[in-house]
Amino acid sequence: MSGIQKYQTSPPPSRIQSPTGSTTTTTSTTTPLAYRSASPLPSPATHRHDCMTAAAKRYKYLRRLLKFRQMDFEFAAWQMVYLFIAPQKVYRNFQYRKQTKAQFARDDPAFVVLLCLWLCVTSVGFALVLRLSVASFLTFLLYTVCVDTLAVGVVVATLLWVFTNKRLVKATCREQDVEWGYAFDVHLNAFFPPLLILHFFQLFLYHVFISQDWFVSRLFGNLLWVFAIGYYIYITFLGYSALPILQPPRVFLYALPLLPLLLVVTLAMRVNLCSVLMDFYHYRVL
């Protein structure tokens, strides 16, 4: 009767003959120390030890923009939901991607595609609220997608990418850096909740309540802005906190105490931030 054969699940140890004649056993690994998992289990079968160049990653990402069948829209939608209810879970997935695909940044453009679809939906809502013509709507959509989202996102991501690499990288991890693609992903993650708050939710209440010249209307509208900005700051903080090569990025949280001050000042000046946004959008497309 044959016994059960056991298969080895970890890399075979290498035996090195020491000068004294004794044999030492070592286990080789190529995973960077800063990203090494504490799990005693072997690396997943999909783990990649190589690291593509930034140009190769960019080419692969842009090429997949035209291959909708290869995009995981279900997972991207899951991320959008959890950015509201539990954003920490979204960044745990980014850490897993580093272990399996040797990069933190998304390699699937499904999130960007869904975000653009949301921008199209909310732009239709703004066109109805602002009573825009078809030509004005197309201009508004172009500004919203290309300028407000992508162009501003590139600028913000680049500034935070430079700041984190110059100021927040640990002294023991100077040979590593924050990926620009990850900085852009963090911005898009942080941008999505304010998008739904200010570009979707407020549209249902704008004409009937928020736009009225009442104190409670200004309070409610400005509170939406405070929550939206707070969401952006907190999710940005979580994004850079997920990187083990960085010092705790508490500097991003320093702006949070300024939000109550912003609320008080705008209310004292009788400024309705939602109405300011509407006026800005209206006059930009005229």
Side-chain angles (χ1 to χ4, degrees), residues 146-253:
C146 297
V147 179
D148 299 342
T149 303
L150 297 180
V152 173
V154 168
V155 173
V156 173
T158 302
L159 292 176
L160 294 181
W161 173 67
V162 172
F163 172 75
T164 53
N165 280 318
K166 286 186 175 295
R167 299 295 183 183
L168 296 181
V169 176
K170 295 177 181 177
T172 56
C173 303
R174 289 297 180 184
E175 71 283 359
Q176 304 176 58
D177 61 358
V178 178
E179 305 165 26
W180 184 90
Y182 180 77
F184 188 65
D185 284 338
V186 170
H187 168 74
L188 293 182
N189 290 343
F191 177 77
F192 181 68
L195 169 69
L196 288 195
I197 293 174
L198 300 177
H199 274 230
F200 184 74
F201 177 72
Q202 76 148 327
L203 296 179
F204 297 98
L205 301 174
Y206 183 74
H207 279 312
V208 298
F209 179 60
I210 297 178
S211 63
Q212 304 300 321
D213 191 21
W214 305 330
F215 173 81
V216 67
S217 299
R218 290 192 296 272
L219 175 63
F220 182 80
N222 293 358
L223 278 175
L224 290 181
W225 273 84
V226 169
F227 284 131
I229 297 173
Y231 249 120
Y232 184 91
I233 294 172
Y234 179 62
I235 293 179
T236 300
F237 165 76
L238 290 179
Y240 290 102
S241 296
L243 298 180
I245 67 172
L246 297 183
Q247 304 172 24
R250 288 185 290 268
V251 63
F252 293 112
L253 299 179

Side-chain angles (χ1 to χ4, degrees), residues 103-163:
Q103 67 179 58
F104 274 107
R106 291 186 177 99
D107 60 344
D108 185 354
F111 188 93
V112 175
V113 173
L114 285 186
L115 182 62
C116 290
L117 290 178
W118 268 110
L119 289 169
C120 293
V121 172
T122 57
S123 296
V124 171
F126 269 97
L128 295 175
V129 172
L130 297 176
R131 299 179 176 88
L132 301 179
S133 63
V134 175
S136 297
F137 162 71
L138 294 177
T139 303
F140 178 84
L141 179 62
L142 185 65
Y143 268 111
T144 303
V145 175
C146 297
V147 179
D148 299 342
T149 303
L150 297 180
V152 173
V154 168
V155 173
V156 173
T158 302
L159 292 176
L160 294 181
W161 173 67
V162 172
F163 172 75

Side-chain angles (χ1 to χ4, degrees), residues 78-79 81-96 182 189 231 234-239 241-242:
W78 173 88
Q79 289 183 319
V81 172
Y82 273 85
L83 283 173
F84 273 99
I85 61 178
Q88 298 90 339
K89 291 186 177 181
V90 176
Y91 288 114
R92 290 197 197 107
N93 173 261
F94 278 79
Q95 294 173 335
Y96 176 75
Y182 180 77
N189 290 343
Y231 249 120
Y234 179 62
I235 293 179
T236 300
F237 165 76
L238 290 179
S241 296

